[in-house]
Amino acid sequence: MTLIADSPTTRHERLMAEHAAHNYHPLPVVIAEGDGAWVTDVEGRQYLDCLAGYSALNFGHGHPALLAAAHRQLDRVTLTSRAFGNDQLGPFCTELAALVGKDMVLPMNTGAEAVESGLKVARKWGYEVKGVPEGRAQIIVATRAFHGRTISIVSFSTDPEARGGFGPFTPGFTVVPYGDPGALRAAITPETVAVLIEPIQGEAGVVVPQAGYLPAVRDICSAADVLFIADEVQSGLGRTGHVLATRAAGTDADVYLLGKALGGGITPLSAVVADADVLGVLRPGQHGSTFGGNPLACAVGRAVIELLDDGGPGGLLARARTLGAVLHGRLARTVGHGLLAVRGAGLWAGIDIDPRLASGREVCERLVRAGVLVKDTHGSTIRLSPPLVVTAEEICVAVDALEAVLADLR
C-alpha cells in the first residue's frame, strides 16, 4: 500500500489543528517568508498581502530600516525589565511623545494591554483629579467597538461571540451607539471619567463616522471634565495617511492608545500617550509590565517613529494618502457589480460583498487561490489594509483579482 505524504500546507494545518488552541479560523495558507507587500507560503507560492497583520505590518514585511534597528539591538541587549533603565527607553518615550504632541508615554506590549492601561489610568485620574468617589468611576464606550479580548474589554463588547461564555463581567462601563453625539451627551453623569472611542472602527468593517462626530466627542468631554481616549491601535501610525486619524478629523484626544504598527511587525510594542496631568497619576508599584519598554522593542519603535516623522511629499504618510485614493477609486467602480458599499480612509477599506453572491469568507478563500490575502469580518464584509509600501500597480492587482472573483460568482 502506497501512502501519499502530506503536502507542507496540510502538515502544518494538521499540527495546528492537533496542538494549537482553536481560537482562530485561518485561511488555507501557511506563510514561510515575507518581503515588502508579498509573502511566500511553505510550498513556494507567492501572495500579495492586503491584510498586513491587521495594520501591524504598515511598513511591510522586512522593512530594511526596521530590520537594521532590530539587528543592532539584538547584538547589545534585548531585555532588562523595568527594574533598571535602558538606553533605548528614554529616547523612545521622548520621540513618541514629540510625534504625538503629548508629554508622557507609558510603554506596554500589545494593543489590548494599552487599552487596559488606559482604562486603569482613566479610573485613577477620575478618583484623584476629578474627585469621583472611589469605586464609582464609569467609562463610556461605543457599540460594535473592538478594543481587544481581555475580560474587562469583552465586558463591554456588543459582539456575542466575544462575550459568550466569559462572564461574570467587569462593571463600570456604559455603551452608547457609535456616531451618535446626542446619545453620548445623554449618557454622561458626574461619575463618568472617560469616553473610549475608535476614530474609525476597524473590526466592525472600517466604519468611518460622519464628519463632526469626533469634534463633538471632544466638545462633550471637555464640557463634562471627562477624558477623551482615542484607540488608534489600528487607525494610527499611517494607516489612514496620517499619524493619528483623530487629528485628521480635526480634533484632539486627551489620551492616545497605540500599538500594532508601533512594533514594526517585528516585536510587540504598544503605548499610552497623554499629558503629564493624566499619566502623572501613576506612581511606582501601581502599574507595570516585565517586557513593557524593553530595549529591543524601543529600538524598533524609534525606527518606526523616524519613518513616520517624514512629512514630506515622498514620505510614507503622503504615499498612503495618494495610494489610498487609487484604492478607493478602483473599489468605487466595483460597487453595484458584486459590492454593496465601500468605506475607509487612506490605505484602509471595508467592502460589503453582496451576500446573495457569497459570504466574506468564501470570497477571501477564492482570493487566496488568486494570490491575494485579505480577511473577512461579520459575515459579508472584507477588510483591505495593504502595507504602506504597496505600489499602485499592486493595488490594481488586488482589485483586479477581487473583480474577477465577483464576476465568477455572479
Side-chain angles (χ1 to χ4, degrees):
M1 179 178 179
T2 302
L3 296 178
I4 300 175
D6 286 349
S7 71
T9 298
T10 302
R11 184 174 71 85
H12 283 282
E13 289 180 333
R14 176 172 52 78
L15 292 174
M16 288 188 290
E18 292 175 357
H19 301 291
H22 299 171
N23 58 325
Y24 280 90
H25 184 199
L27 291 163
V29 57
V30 179
I31 296 168
E33 298 179 25
D35 182 22
W38 293 86
V39 295
T40 304
D41 74 5
V42 290
E43 298 183 42
R45 294 181 293 243
Q46 285 197 310
Y47 304 84
L48 181 60
D49 183 359
C50 289
L51 181 64
Y54 302 102
S55 294
L57 288 155
N58 278 4
F59 313 102
H61 298 271
H63 192 289
L66 303 183
L67 287 181
H71 282 301
R72 286 193 300 269
Q73 194 60 41
L74 279 168
D75 289 333
R76 300 179 67 243
V77 63
T78 57
L79 179 64
T80 61
S81 88
R82 291 297 301 276
F84 314 101
N86 70 73
D87 66 357
Q88 296 298 315
L89 176 60
F92 166 73
C93 291
T94 301
E95 291 159 13
L96 183 58
L99 181 73
V100 176
K102 298 291 185 182
D103 295 337
M104 300 181 76
V105 170
L106 171 62
M108 302 299 288
N109 303 289
T110 67
E113 269 191 293
V115 174
E116 285 278 354
S117 300
L119 298 177
K120 289 177 69 175
V121 167
R123 286 179 171 181
K124 201 162 194 301
W125 175 89
Y127 300 137
E128 295 189 2
V129 178
K130 186 175 180 178
V132 172
E134 185 74 28
R136 301 287 296 274
Q138 292 288 317
I139 295 174
I140 298 176
V141 296
T143 53
R144 300 192 69 195
F146 180 83
H147 301 284
R149 298 190 184 276
T150 65
I151 286 292
S152 289
I153 293 170
V154 301
S155 295
F156 55 77
S157 173
T158 57
D159 181 354
E161 282 196 17
R163 289 171 57 90
F166 296 116
F169 295 116
T170 306
F173 300 100
T174 302
V175 183
V176 300
Y178 184 72
D180 187 339
L184 172 59
R185 187 178 291 106
I188 298 276
T189 74
E191 295 174 348
T192 303
V193 299
V195 175
L196 171 63
I197 295 288
E198 292 169 278
I200 296 175
Q201 290 191 321
E203 181 74 14
V206 194
V207 177
V208 182
Q210 294 183 5
Y213 172 62
L214 294 177
V217 172
R218 171 71 279 168
D219 292 344
I220 292 166
C221 289
S222 296
D225 190 23
V226 166
L227 296 178
F228 176 10
I229 306 176
D231 180 347
E232 297 247 19
V233 170
Q234 283 197 59
S235 62
L237 306 180
R239 176 50 53 194
T240 67
H242 302 272
V243 172
L244 299 167
T246 308
R247 297 258 175 84
T251 192
D252 191 21
D254 298 297
V255 180
Y256 287 102
L257 309 178
L258 303 174
K260 292 193 184 294
L262 192 58
I266 295 174
T267 182
L269 177 60
S270 65
V272 181
V273 189
D275 282 333
D277 59 350
V278 177
L279 275 177
V281 301
L282 291 180
R283 287 175 283 280
Q286 295 179 339
H287 189 60
S289 167
T290 298
F291 285 87
N294 70 78
L296 177 60
C298 287
V300 174
R302 294 180 67 191
V304 165
I305 293 165
E306 188 172 354
L307 289 175
L308 290 170
D309 212 17
D310 180 5
L316 283 172
L317 298 179
R319 178 186 182 84
R321 295 192 295 272
T322 300
L323 293 180
V326 174
L327 173 64
H328 287 277
R330 283 294 314 271
L331 289 172
R333 288 163 34 189
T334 311
V335 174
H337 302 280
L339 297 187
L340 299 181
V342 176
R343 301 168 299 279
L347 281 171
W348 203 15
I351 60 176
D352 295 334
I353 306 295
D354 186 339
R356 295 172 298 181
L357 297 180
S359 67
R361 172 78 186 195
E362 183 179 353
V363 172
C364 289
E365 289 174 347
R366 287 173 175 252
L367 283 169
V368 166
R369 295 195 288 272
V372 175
L373 302 183
V374 294
K375 192 65 176 70
D376 58 298
T377 183
H378 300 294
S380 59
T381 298
I382 290 175
R383 291 161 292 173
L384 282 79
S385 53
L388 309 188
V389 297
V390 73
T391 65
E393 292 76 17
E394 289 165 342
I395 288 172
C396 291
V397 166
V399 181
D400 287 347
L402 174 64
E403 290 177 343
V405 166
L406 295 174
D408 286 344
L409 288 167
R410 288 200 302 272

